[in-house]
Amino acid sequence: MTENRLKNETSPYLLQHQHNPVHWWAWGPEARAEAKRSSKPILLSVGYAACHWCHVMAHESFEDEATAAVMNAFFVNIKVDREERPDIDAIYMSALHRLGEQGGWPLTMFLDSEARPFWGGTYFPKHQGYGRPAFVHVLQRLSEAYQTQPDQVRSNADRILAALNERAEDRSEDGFLHSDAMIKDLATRIARAVDAEHGGLSGAPKFPQWNVFWLLWRAAMRFDDAAAKQAVITTLTHICQGGIYDHLGGGFARYSVDARWLVPHFEKMLYDNALLIDVMTEVWRETQDPLLATRIAETVAWLQREMIAEGGGFAASLDADSEGEEGKFYVWSAAEIEDVLGLADAAFFGAIYDVSEGGNFEGQTILNRLGSLKPLSAGDEARLQILRDKLFAHRAPRVRPGWDDKVLADWNGLMIAALSRAAIIF
């Protein structure tokens, strides 16, 4: 099996690409020097280990010999882990926004030999689809433009850099003023934008957006704002009972692709869980809601069991995919649950956790309690705990999602702070 330069890296994400036929470079002066020497543009690909669409593009294009041949012939190809180099990701994601494009990962940017961006996008399919051109077609067109239209490329790069510099100057200005009246008005406006039925900001996809709901909660406490308080409680209840939460193993996925918090993008990120523990702890302090206490305890148990890396720090993430399929580790069939639990217990469990023959996700079932938001009797909850333990044990031998054991100082700081506050409050 061939290897490329990424074999010498330490990032788990970069190491995932060490056997690609693409002649990847890591970010650094050597790659930029090669771009100047060869007069080739730079193809910058930014992703992270738990990113589903990064894996899709890797399988479709970066592992494909024909696509790699085009990349190698026309570009100096640089692969970056956004969690290892958030500074680089921030620059080029901002550049993509200046182009009027929606951000996301994988981030695919095209740079001149000075590493100045002149065009970009996110995921490109191997074949035309999803309203996007085929990746090889994009490569061929941009390589041709770089060689035959240097003035246009230079003009694009100049305009993007000017926009980035203008934004940086705007952000450096101070003098921001705020008042109680402004904060109260802002909270009122945000509360109106919250989905009254399911929680979260209206629409899909839905992210937990800790910062928004932290602001709403503080405003609710400060100004006795009942609407803001209810918006936060509704949101946290649905997140805690939705499919975005792993009801067997604990921990929250990064976001939900639907408006009900049912179907997650299955990766579990350390920072999301830190921020959710933090806001749930703060809300529990006022409400004493046992659901929040339970979800915090279960998530901490997951962290202790699955997320402590060598040396004692917290690992960065768990992947969405296993065996090449998103969510395969987490979903169930009704027949499998019946085999594990038996007919009577499966019927009882299924009525609470939305289990059906047809499933709720591509013919399978994502366990959730969105149809049973309120706690049952103590006896029924104890019975459910026994059944969950059986399913958890049955799930354990499955092929596990990839584990990114990078220990990031900022994300560890968030989790350590959240756990410290939770320890004090609980």
Side-chain angles (χ1 to χ4, degrees):
M1 183 179 294
T2 59
E3 290 180 318
N4 56 44
R5 296 177 190 86
L6 299 184
K7 67 182 180 181
N8 299 317
E9 298 300 310
T10 57
S11 158
Y13 175 66
L14 297 185
L15 291 173
Q16 288 176 3
H17 294 272
Q18 65 180 307
H19 297 298
N20 292 169
V22 179
H23 298 162
W24 290 115
W25 296 76
W27 181 269
E30 296 85 0
R32 296 192 294 277
E34 174 62 17
K36 291 180 181 179
R37 187 200 65 77
S38 64
S39 299
K40 293 179 181 179
I42 294 169
L43 190 162
L44 175 66
S45 177
V46 183
Y48 59 100
C51 170
H52 171 68
W53 286 102
C54 298
H55 297 326
V56 172
M57 191 165 178
H59 295 323
E60 289 180 347
S61 296
F62 304 151
E63 296 172 6
D64 177 64
E65 294 281 354
T67 304
V70 176
M71 295 173 66
N72 295 335
F74 298 128
F75 295 89
V76 172
N77 303 287
I78 301 178
K79 176 61 76 172
V80 166
D81 180 344
R82 75 159 179 122
E83 294 163 2
E84 184 179 43
R85 295 300 305 265
D87 52 336
I88 296 168
D89 177 62
I91 292 168
Y92 292 104
M93 186 62 76
S94 295
L96 183 66
H97 291 155
R98 300 282 78 74
L99 288 166
E101 296 289 333
Q102 184 176 355
W105 295 274
L107 174 63
T108 307
M109 295 298 293
F110 296 89
L111 324 177
D112 65 16
S113 60
E114 300 292 337
R116 304 188 317 156
F118 64 88
W119 198 79
T122 53
Y123 162 76
F124 290 99
K126 182 177 179 180
H127 304 290
Q128 183 176 346
Y130 309 102
R132 300 167 187 257
F135 186 46
V136 167
H137 179 69
V138 171
L139 297 174
Q140 291 168 337
R141 290 292 300 274
L142 286 174
S143 173
E144 180 184 359
Y146 189 79
Q147 302 301 333
T148 63
Q149 303 174 45
D151 291 342
Q152 183 63 51
V153 169
R154 190 178 307 109
S155 175
N156 279 12
D158 288 343
R159 287 201 300 269
I160 293 170
L161 279 186
L164 290 174
N165 289 331
E166 181 181 349
R167 182 181 181 220
E169 290 169 3
D170 289 343
R171 288 201 333 209
S172 68
E173 296 176 1
D174 32 271
F176 173 73
L177 300 175
H178 66 273
S179 64
D180 277 4
M182 188 201 75
I183 295 170
K184 186 175 182 179
D185 179 65
L186 178 60
T188 299
R189 291 170 182 269
I190 293 174
R192 291 192 195 122
V194 173
D195 182 336
E197 182 178 1
H198 305 295
L201 297 182
S202 295
K206 276 189 174 170
F207 290 79
Q209 291 178 306
W210 168 91
N211 52 346
V212 170
F213 291 98
W214 183 265
L215 184 150
L216 275 182
W217 187 254
R218 297 301 290 271
M221 296 299 100
R222 184 167 185 169
F223 306 117
D224 194 25
D225 187 331
K229 180 178 181 179
Q230 189 56 53
V232 176
I233 291 172
T234 298
T235 297
L236 290 181
T237 299
H238 283 77
I239 289 174
C240 286
Q241 298 289 47
I244 192 173
Y245 181 71
D246 180 358
H247 289 265
L248 300 184
F252 296 87
R254 182 165 166 252
Y255 68 91
S256 169
V257 302
D258 62 290
R260 297 179 54 229
W261 305 103
L262 172 62
V263 180
H265 206 16
F266 288 88
E267 71 265 39
K268 295 181 186 177
M269 315 299 293
L270 185 67
Y271 64 88
D272 284 317
N273 285 276
L275 297 171
L276 280 166
I277 287 172
D278 219 11
V279 73
M280 288 193 297
T281 298
E282 187 69 11
V283 173
W284 180 88
R285 189 166 66 163
E286 300 293 334
T287 66
Q288 308 287 296
D289 184 348
L291 175 64
L292 299 180
T294 298
R295 294 293 179 259
I296 291 168
E298 291 170 344
T299 299
V300 172
W302 162 69
L303 288 164
Q304 293 175 317
R305 186 181 64 247
E306 299 185 26
M307 295 300 288
I308 297 178
E310 183 179 355
F314 290 108
S317 65
L318 281 174
D319 207 332
D321 296 19
S322 55
E323 299 183 81
E325 293 183 26
E326 185 183 10
K328 185 172 183 179
F329 182 78
Y330 299 102
V331 298
W332 296 83
S333 68
E336 188 177 12
I337 289 176
E338 188 175 310
D339 286 342
V340 176
L341 301 183
L343 190 60
D345 281 341
F348 171 69
F349 182 87
I352 305 301
Y353 282 94
D354 190 26
V355 181
S356 65
E357 290 295 330
N360 54 29
F361 171 69
E362 298 179 355
Q364 300 288 306
T365 291
I366 298 169
L367 300 179
N368 72 91
R369 292 183 64 161
L370 291 172
S372 180
L373 291 172
K374 295 182 179 180
L376 305 181
S377 68
D380 282 345
E381 289 293 347
R383 182 182 176 189
L384 286 171
Q385 180 64 61
I386 293 170
L387 301 181
R388 287 197 304 271
D389 289 345
K390 289 182 179 180
L391 292 173
F392 177 75
H394 185 79
R395 188 179 80 174
R398 293 178 179 177
V399 176
R400 302 187 68 80
W403 189 52
D404 185 348
D405 64 350
K406 283 198 312 297
V407 177
L408 298 168
D410 51 354
W411 295 8
N412 269 256
L414 289 174
M415 184 58 78
I416 291 165
L419 293 177
S420 298
R421 284 189 280 267
I424 293 167
I425 298 236
F426 286 100

